[in-house]
Amino acid sequence: LVKFQACNNKPCPTNCQLAQWGVWSPCNQTCRTSTTVGISTRTRKVLVQPSTNTIPPGTPCSKYGALIMTRQCNTYPCPRDCQVSPWGVWEACSLKCQGGIQYR
């Protein structure tokens, strides 16, 4: 003869569950300026919120790290236009007649 009775009827804790990381976003800059580099981000979503009304409570999502990740991108310097000084004076003509050449 065996007798049964219910026990431990409290709910089990539910831990946070996160999705896989998404793809990296496009870089927000095409190259590095003198003060900033580009930034790219990716995110992941919470699939299951942890239980808070159980004893013990479920594992919080913060234990699994951030929901957003950033990285530097396009860190090479931006191209710069060539800068030249103003024109100098004309040099003397290479010939006295018949079409010489002058430089400056």
Side-chain angles (χ1 to χ4, degrees):
L1 195 57
V2 177
K3 187 173 183 180
F4 296 96
Q5 75 176 18
C7 61
N8 291 336
N9 292 326
K10 63 184 182 205
C12 293
T14 304
N15 296 329
C16 172
Q17 292 181 23
L18 300 177
Q20 294 294 315
W21 286 105
V23 298
W24 287 102
S25 69
C27 194
N28 68 344
Q29 289 184 191
T30 56
C31 55
R32 181 186 76 221
T33 67
S34 61
T35 58
T36 61
V37 296
I39 298 293
S40 177
T41 60
R42 68 179 181 171
T43 60
R44 58 183 173 172
K45 295 181 180 182
V46 175
L47 298 175
V48 176
Q49 289 287 347
S51 59
T52 57
N53 59 349
T54 59
I55 299 175
T59 304
C61 295
S62 60
K63 292 281 187 182
Y64 300 111
L67 298 178
I68 193 165
M69 186 184 292
T70 60
R71 69 178 178 183
Q72 292 183 348
C73 53
N74 293 343
T75 57
Y76 49 87
C78 294
R80 294 185 339 181
D81 290 336
C82 176
Q83 296 187 5
V84 295
S85 61
W87 287 105
V89 297
W90 286 105
E91 297 289 328
C93 189
S94 62
L95 297 174
K96 299 275 185 207
C97 56
Q98 295 188 353
I101 298 175
Q102 280 183 299
Y103 298 99
R104 66 174 179 171

